Every structure is written in structure tokens, then in C-alpha cells.
Amino acid sequence: MSEQSHPTPPSPVAADHDPDYAANLRRATLSSSVGSALEYFDFAMYGLMTALVFNKLFFDQSNPGIALIAAFGIYGVGFAARPFGGLFFGTIGDRIGRRWVLIATIILMGGSSTLIGVLPTYESVGALAPVLLVLLRLLQGFGAGAEQAGATVLMAEYAPVRRRGFFSALPFIGIQAGTLLAAFAFFLLNLLPEEQFMAWGWRLPFLSSILLILIALWIRARLRETPTFVVLEKHEQVAHHPIREIFTTGRAGVVVGIGLRMAENGGSYLFQSVALAFVTSTAIGLDRGIVTWGVSLGSLIGIFSVPFTGALSDRFGRVPVYRAGAVFMLVFSFPAWYLLTVGSHAVAIAVIAIGIGVAVNTMLGPQCALLPEMFGNRHRYLGVAMSREISAVLAGGLAGVIGASLLDWTDYNWVVMGLYMATLAAITTSATFLVPETRARDLLRREDAVRLSTTEKDTAYADAEPSPTLAAQKEA
């Protein structure tokens, strides 16, 4: 393989002067960002629709409380499929490369989302309606199970070492953009008369997913394989059995990765969906269209806070910045849910915006580089996928079901929701003490960082001479 075919990150100083590498870094950033935007547009839209639309259109309305729980149950089904998708596509990504997996996942994930827009409702086909919704959510989740892991690994392996935190966080602006786009689309849809919105308006955002799919496919078809995987292929070190490795040598990293994600992922979906269901219920009675602006404002803040905290992790380390976000959510949990009960639109918008934009995204920023740095090169894709998607089930997927159940069982008591969120934050805070600092870790190392002694230090920066890793990449 020639250097022209697979441009690799040169030394930190030379990176800015290598046009071929710079072009591929931009392409990788754009490719990952569009995929992230599509995934989170779909999931944010589904979360909004679950709390306010799907529970009414796809289920028997004789018991509205049960219908809401069932709707969030199907919301969780998509998360249940994600670990299997992560396992399947993560294995392929570690065996044949990152690029082709990202093409497959965007087709599967986006196609399923588009088809949701043409589903018949309960009134039309009865019990078949939720069955079809479950099927598409399973396919959507299966594809999404490797999408974010692939974007995370792709950018970490392309980014300049000194600025890996910042560059790895850039594609995750797509998460904020997708969420912001979903909230804005939902706001516009709410301008429709209620009858038209419930009849056909809710379908439009899902049908529009086809546009993002086409854009992402065009970009990813031109994407080149990552430098670290090229080196693995050159030295014939590609793992033939990454599943075996991840459940033996990589198990500790996966467990810690799951813990790190509990507050970030769970908190995100609690603020985006359960909090909306809470404040728009008859117990609080706020207007759904107005409160949705809290999600929009939080996502707008995230466009800046995610790369900012990623850059902070380049300077101060991944772990301190991540821990700061987890502790903030821990402290914020009870005041946040209490303030949601006061019945003020402005207060509810502020709480949701701070929860998403500050608490959640202060963890997401450093996480973009931290998770790939935690795993060795032979099973990095699978390790990141398993960490992300198992936690997505335990935190994000169950957040809606547990949250809706707690609200129904306790007559919308804010204390139990504060306790639930605080528990997730406490788990993540504890997990930050189990991972060593990974900033600037050599991504060609085959061992996982979590298996190392916390006193062992990785080589930080090679200021005088190119590192052996970079030399090997250059040779490839």
C-alpha cells in the first residue's frame, strides 16, 4: 500500500503541511458528522414522537398510562438490538476495516428510519402496527449499533495525536445538529393543526431521512481506510477472532466503558424524552411545543461544549474533564427534577438545556477520544461498540421504560426521578476512578489501557523525533 493511497498522520508539526492527510481528515470528519446527525435526528425524533405521538397512534387507548409505557418499551427495543449490531459490525470492522462497515450501517439505519414514515397505525391494522414498529426499530438499532462506534474509532485513528480530543469530538457536533434539527422539525410540525399533525405531519421527518442517507453515502464512498488499520494489515496483525479477544483480554475495558457511559447516555435520553413526558403530563400541564425548545437550546449549546471539552481533555487529560461532567450531573439531578415541577415554561427549558448542553456534553466531549484510547488496536472497533451499545441498553434504552414506569407508579413524583438520575451519575463518577489517563496514547498498541497499572505512563508527545508508531505508519 502506498502512502498516496492511504495517507497517514505525520508528526504533529508536519500534519498541518500535508495536504493529502488534511483532505482525508476533513473527509473523515464530515463523513462521521453526517452519520451522527442522521442517527441522532432519527433517535431524537423517535424520542419526541414516543412521548407525544406513538403512544396514541400505535396502541389501544383504553389505558393511556400503559400505552405510554408500551411506547417507551418499543423505544427501548431499538437499544436492545444495538449490542448485537455492535457485535456483528464491530467484528467486521476489526477484520476487514472501518470504511465498509460505515457504509453498511448508514444504509441499514437510515433505511429503517425512512420506512417508519410509511407505517400504518393501530386504527388501520390493529396489533400489527406496533409489531411493524418493533421490527423497524430492531433494524434501526442493529445498524446504529456500530455507527457511532465507527465514527469514534475513525476520527481517533485519523486525528493528530496532540489534538486528538478536539478532532475526535468534532463529528459529534453531528449529534447536536441532528438533535437540534429534530427539535426544530418537531416545533414546525406543532404549528400544524392537531388533526393534521396526528394524521400525516408526524411522518414527514422520518421520510426526509433519505436525504441524509444519500449525502452520507456519497461522502463515505470516497473515504479511505484509517492509518492504524493499514499498519495492522501491512504487518499481518489483524485479529481473526476479535470476539474471543474482547471477551478475554478486553473484558475489563468494556465493563469500565459501560460505567463511563451510564450518566452520559442515560442522562441524555432522560432529558430529551422522559422530562418532556413529565412536564407535558396533566400533572404539570406545560405546552409540548414550547418545552421542546429546551432540547433545541441544549443541542445548540452542545455544538460548542462538545469540541470545547474535547479540547480541554487534550490539555488537562480525559479523566479529569469526564469526571467533572459526571459530578455536575450528580449535583444537578435533584434540583433539576424539582424545578421541572414548578410549572414554568422558562424554567423547564433552562433545566433541559443545561442538562443536555452542559451535564451530558461535558462527558461526551472527552469520551470521543477516551473510548478508542482505552482499547488495543486489534479489537478497538469491537471494544468501543460493546462499551457504547451495552450501556445504551442499560442506560438509554431502559431510561424511557424505567422513567415512564416510575412516573406512573409514583403519581409523577419528582424525587424518584432525581434519585434515578443521581444513581446513573454516581456509577459514572465511580467508573472514572477505574480508567488510567489515556491522553495521547499510541493507538498502535495492542494491549488495553484498563489492563495497565495506573502508575504506567504512556509516551505523551514525540517533540524531537517521530515515534516508532508514526514511522511505521509513514512506511505503510
Side-chain angles (χ1 to χ4, degrees):
M1 297 180 186
S2 67
E3 184 181 344
Q4 180 68 22
S5 299
H6 296 284
T8 60
S11 66
V13 175
D16 294 335
H17 304 286
D18 186 335
D20 200 23
Y21 167 66
N24 278 274
L25 180 60
R26 288 193 300 270
R27 192 175 293 126
T29 303
L30 185 58
S31 168
S32 302
S33 299
V34 173
S36 298
L38 173 61
E39 177 180 352
Y40 276 80
F41 173 78
D42 289 335
F43 273 88
M45 182 58 65
Y46 195 96
L48 291 168
M49 295 295 185
T50 296
L52 305 171
V53 177
F54 287 162
N55 60 317
K56 299 177 181 177
L57 294 181
F58 284 84
F59 300 94
D60 184 2
Q61 291 301 295
S62 60
N63 190 326
I66 297 299
L68 179 62
I69 294 173
F72 273 114
I74 293 184
Y75 184 55
V77 162
F79 288 91
R82 292 177 68 136
F84 297 99
L87 186 66
F88 177 78
F89 287 115
T91 301
I92 296 175
D94 280 324
R95 293 187 64 178
I96 69 172
R98 325 311 193 193
R99 174 175 175 260
W100 293 110
V101 171
L102 288 173
I103 292 177
T105 56
I106 200 72
I107 294 174
L108 182 59
M109 183 181 66
S112 302
S113 300
T114 301
L115 289 176
I116 290 177
V118 299
L119 284 181
T121 62
Y122 187 89
E123 183 180 0
S124 301
V125 296
L128 181 60
V131 171
L132 293 175
L133 187 59
V134 168
L135 177 61
L136 291 181
R137 280 291 290 168
L138 285 171
L139 293 175
Q140 186 187 52
F142 194 78
E147 173 64 32
Q148 279 301 307
T152 301
V153 171
L154 182 78
M155 282 311 302
E157 292 183 343
Y158 256 113
V161 176
R162 278 184 169 178
R163 304 186 67 193
R164 185 184 292 151
F166 172 73
F167 276 97
S168 296
L170 287 181
F172 288 78
I173 293 176
I175 293 178
Q176 317 307 318
T179 305
L180 184 62
L181 182 61
F184 181 66
F186 195 78
F187 171 77
L188 292 179
L189 290 173
N190 268 281
L191 298 179
L192 291 172
E194 181 76 11
E195 183 178 347
Q196 294 181 25
F197 172 72
M198 298 298 288
W200 54 266
W202 67 271
R203 299 179 183 274
L204 298 180
F206 295 102
L207 295 174
S208 66
S209 297
I210 190 68
L211 299 177
L212 288 176
I213 297 173
L214 295 176
I215 294 173
L217 282 176
W218 179 75
I219 298 171
R220 290 182 180 186
R222 303 170 63 228
L223 189 64
R224 297 173 183 173
E225 192 51 79
T226 67
T228 56
F229 190 82
V230 170
V231 174
L232 274 183
E233 286 187 315
K234 175 180 166 46
H235 296 283
E236 298 182 351
Q237 294 179 337
V238 175
H240 296 292
H241 304 286
I243 296 179
R244 180 188 304 167
E245 289 191 13
I246 205 64
F247 285 107
T248 53
T249 59
R251 185 172 59 238
V254 171
V255 172
V256 173
I258 292 171
L260 289 171
R261 288 261 297 160
M262 295 300 284
E264 176 266 323
N265 191 253
S268 175
Y269 287 101
L270 284 173
F271 281 119
Q272 287 184 39
S273 57
V274 180
L276 286 179
F278 179 64
V279 298
T280 58
S281 67
T282 55
I284 309 298
L286 298 185
D287 182 84
R288 68 184 182 188
I290 297 176
V291 178
T292 302
W293 280 103
V295 178
S296 303
L297 182 57
S299 301
L300 184 61
I301 294 172
I303 289 176
F304 302 97
S305 62
V306 170
F308 176 69
T309 53
L312 286 180
S313 75
D314 283 328
R315 178 165 183 171
F316 300 105
R318 317 287 187 228
V319 175
V321 179
Y322 207 113
R323 187 177 297 148
V327 171
F328 179 83
M329 180 173 285
L330 180 62
V331 174
F332 186 58
S333 295
F334 285 101
W337 284 94
Y338 167 73
L339 289 172
L340 291 176
T341 68
V342 301
S344 166
H345 285 99
V347 171
I349 290 172
V351 167
I352 293 173
I354 293 172
I356 296 172
V358 179
V360 170
N361 288 325
T362 299
M363 291 177 277
L364 181 59
Q367 180 192 114
C368 302
L370 174 59
L371 287 183
E373 289 171 338
M374 285 171 53
F375 293 97
N377 197 18
R378 285 166 56 91
H379 55 250
R380 177 171 298 122
Y381 200 136
L382 186 56
V384 173
M386 289 294 92
S387 298
R388 288 187 59 85
E389 304 315 329
I390 294 176
S391 62
V393 175
L394 298 177
L398 291 179
V401 177
I402 293 176
S405 299
L406 289 174
L407 292 176
D408 187 55
W409 296 339
T410 63
D411 196 24
Y412 287 76
N413 189 311
W414 67 270
V415 175
V416 294
M417 293 306 302
L419 181 61
Y420 179 34
M421 181 173 286
T423 300
L424 295 177
I427 293 172
T428 294
T429 302
S430 300
T432 62
F433 290 95
L434 300 177
V435 59
E437 181 54 59
T438 63
R439 179 181 55 173
R441 191 169 192 259
D442 187 341
L443 293 186
L444 283 182
R445 297 182 67 162
R446 295 174 59 181
E447 70 274 15
D448 292 347
V450 178
R451 292 174 58 84
L452 299 175
S453 166
T454 55
T455 60
E456 182 177 344
K457 303 296 183 182
D458 289 333
T459 301
Y461 304 121
D463 292 324
E465 299 290 339
S467 70
T469 296
L470 292 174
Q473 292 180 0
K474 203 68 175 174
E475 182 183 350

